[in-house]
Amino acid sequence: MAGPSPLFASPDDLFSPPGYSHVVTIPAGRLVWTAGQIAMNADGSVVGVGDWEAQARLVFENLTRALEAAGAGWSDVVKLTYYVVDISGLATIRGVRDDFVDRTQPPTSTLVQVAGLAYPDLLLEVEAVAWLR
């Protein structure tokens, strides 16, 4: 049985965002938060040292696994938070992100540049919030 869906919006009096929504309003349901996911294989090794594309791809694949563990998928994601050590990788991250998110109703998004992450070879960490009916 289909219930109400989240409302994704970008008001006309705010700038047009590149690949994300300004606002998501969520009806009653179940929220799922993931921990920040990094470019680390299941064996604990960092992948793609110095390679934004390789690290972003593994980060989003790891987010997929985390979401699936909660019974969620990318169509349920309403918020992404990015932590990057340098904003120079932003275009690459966005390109990889677009392979995963629903680009017709993109989640809200925040990007934070940080001095470093848990391991020195990491370039980014991403966490997601999903909504399930």
Side-chain angles (χ1 to χ4, degrees):
M1 176 169 100
S5 296
L7 174 64
F8 293 81
S10 289
D12 291 337
D13 57 348
L14 290 174
F15 72 93
S16 180
Y20 65 91
S21 297
H22 278 292
V23 180
V24 176
T25 304
I26 302 193
R30 184 167 60 103
L31 290 175
V32 174
W33 281 268
T34 70
Q37 296 300 307
I38 56 177
M40 186 173 280
N41 276 334
D43 70 4
S45 60
V46 173
V47 171
V49 174
D51 183 338
W52 283 100
E53 169 103 20
Q55 287 206 5
R57 181 123 346 246
L58 184 56
V59 164
F60 278 87
E61 289 169 358
N62 286 345
L63 280 166
T64 299
R65 291 178 189 94
L67 290 164
E68 288 173 348
W74 282 101
S75 63
D76 304 310
V77 173
V78 296
K79 170 72 170 151
L80 291 170
T81 304
Y82 302 82
Y83 303 93
V84 298
V85 297
D86 185 341
I87 61 170
S88 68
L90 185 55
T92 301
I93 295 166
R94 285 179 176 160
V96 172
R97 172 209 57 202
D98 287 351
D99 292 340
F100 291 84
V101 302
D102 178 353
R103 290 183 289 158
T104 64
Q105 295 186 27
T108 61
S109 183
T110 300
L111 176 89
V112 180
Q113 184 173 343
V114 296
L117 294 163
Y119 298 91
D121 290 329
L122 293 174
L123 301 172
L124 75 154
E125 182 171 338
V126 181
E127 58 188 35
V129 177
W131 173 77
L132 300 171
R133 288 187 171 83

